[in-house]
Amino acid sequence: MSQLPILHTFSISHFSEKARWGLDWSGIPYKLEPTIPFLHMLNARRLKAPASSVPILERPGQPAIQGSAAILDWAASQGSPLPTGGAEIEARLDGKVGPRIIPYFYSEAAIATPQKIPPLFTTDLSPLKTRSFRFFWPVIRRLMIAGLKLGPERRERTRIHLLGELDWLDDLLADGRPYIGGETPNRADLTAAALLAPLAQPPEHPVYKNLTPPPLMAADCAGWAKRPSLALVRRMYANHRRA
Ligand SMILES: N[C@@H](CCC(=O)N[C@@H](CS)C(=O)NCC(=O)O)C(=O)O
C-alpha cells in the first residue's frame, strides 16, 4: 500500500469534496481514490468503518477515519494551516444542509436528466471503475430512486427545508461580512461552500464545474444566486480552492 493516506470518495459527493478541500488546504499529501456505489460498502467494511458512507481516510498502519468533520479534525491535529472555528455552524450544515442537498438534487436529476449524472460520478475514476459505473448505472439509479424515495414530493419537502437553511445562513452574513468567520474564513465557511456548491457550480470546483442542473433546479439556482449564502460559496471557491 502507498505510504500516503488514501481518501476514498464519490467524485459527485459534496461531503467528499469537503474532506478533499480540507486536505488540499492543509497541504497534507494524500492519494485520491474515488469509488462507485456498492464497492464503497465493501471498502468501508474492509476498513472497519462504522458506516458505509464516504469520505473515509485510510491511513497506513492506523485506523481509518470516516466522515468529513473527523477528517478535518485529524488534518488540524497535524498542525496544518486549515482554518478553525465555527464548530456549531459546521455541525448544523453537516446535519441539516448536506443531507438535504442529496434528495433535492437527485429527486429531479435522477428522473428528468439521468444521463447527466454519470460524468459527475466518473470524474477521476479509473477506466475499469468508469466502465463498471456506466454498466451498473441503470440499476444504481433505480435503487436510488426507491431507496431515497425520490420524486416531486421529496424534492418539494427538501427544497422548503433548504430554503429555511439558506435564510439562516443569509442572516448570519447580513452585516455584510465577507465570511461567516468575519474577515477571514473559518471551517464553517469551508463547510458551507463545499456542501452548497451544487447550487452554485463554481468554476473552481473539481467536479461541479461540469454540473448542468436539471430545469427546476436551474431555475432555483438562478433565483437564489444573489443570496449572500451563495455569494459566499462563489467567494470561497474563487479565493480559497486550490488543488
Ligand atoms: N456526515 C457524513 C456524511 C457522509 C455522506 O452522507 N456521504 C454520502 C455521499 S455524499 C454517502 O456516502 N452515501 C452512501 C452511504 O451512506 O452508503 C460526513 O460528513 O462525511
Side-chain angles (χ1 to χ4, degrees):
M1 189 179 86
S2 151
Q3 285 311 295
L4 290 179
I6 301 173
L7 184 66
H8 299 273
T9 64
F10 289 150
S11 292
I12 197 173
S13 149
H14 54 346
F15 280 110
S16 296
E17 161 65 2
K18 178 186 160 192
R20 181 179 173 183
W21 189 355
L23 290 178
D24 289 342
W25 198 321
S26 303
I28 296 173
Y30 66 98
K31 180 173 182 283
L32 182 68
E33 190 67 61
T35 188
I36 62 175
F38 304 113
L39 267 191
H40 81 290
M41 294 180 178
L42 299 178
N43 201 40
R45 192 175 299 179
R46 174 181 68 81
L47 295 171
K48 300 188 173 49
S52 59
S53 58
V54 290
I56 302 179
L57 188 70
E58 179 177 2
R59 297 178 302 162
Q62 289 179 287
I65 303 173
Q66 183 168 49
S68 58
I71 292 169
L72 265 54
D73 287 346
W74 173 79
S77 76
Q78 305 302 296
S80 81
L82 189 65
T84 55
E88 275 179 27
I89 298 172
E90 177 182 356
R92 177 160 168 177
L93 291 162
D94 281 352
K96 295 196 169 181
V97 175
R100 284 175 177 142
I101 289 276
I102 297 170
Y104 168 76
F105 169 69
Y106 286 113
S107 276
E108 187 185 6
I111 292 167
T113 56
Q115 73 286 359
K116 300 239 166 103
I117 295 178
L120 304 174
F121 249 110
T122 56
T123 305
D124 297 324
L125 272 191
S126 67
L128 178 61
K129 283 184 188 161
T130 299
R131 280 200 299 279
S132 308
F133 180 83
R134 289 188 179 278
F135 181 77
F136 286 114
W137 170 233
V139 180
I140 294 169
R141 174 178 168 254
R142 275 202 300 278
L143 291 174
M144 280 175 74
I145 291 172
L148 297 174
K149 299 186 172 51
L150 301 178
E153 278 173 29
R154 183 95 205 266
R155 178 182 186 277
E156 196 44 38
R157 273 203 312 279
T158 48
R159 182 178 181 277
I160 289 167
H161 282 128
L162 269 180
L163 275 170
E165 295 304 303
L166 291 180
D167 287 345
W168 162 69
L169 267 182
D170 289 347
D171 282 349
L172 289 179
L173 297 162
D175 59 5
R177 65 179 66 194
Y179 298 106
I180 298 168
E183 289 304 313
T184 53
N186 64 15
R187 240 174 84 162
D189 287 288
L190 188 161
T191 303
L195 299 186
L196 290 171
L199 303 179
Q201 308 106 40
E204 302 83 5
H205 193 292
V207 180
Y208 301 157
K209 62 185 174 198
N210 297 320
L211 191 163
T212 309
L216 296 174
M217 178 173 162
D220 281 345
C221 293
W224 300 342
K226 291 207 171 76
R227 281 175 170 265
S229 45
L230 294 185
L232 171 74
V233 175
R234 294 191 299 272
R235 186 176 311 120
M236 280 296 292
Y237 271 88
N239 294 344
H240 300 287
R241 183 69 174 106
R242 275 169 213 96

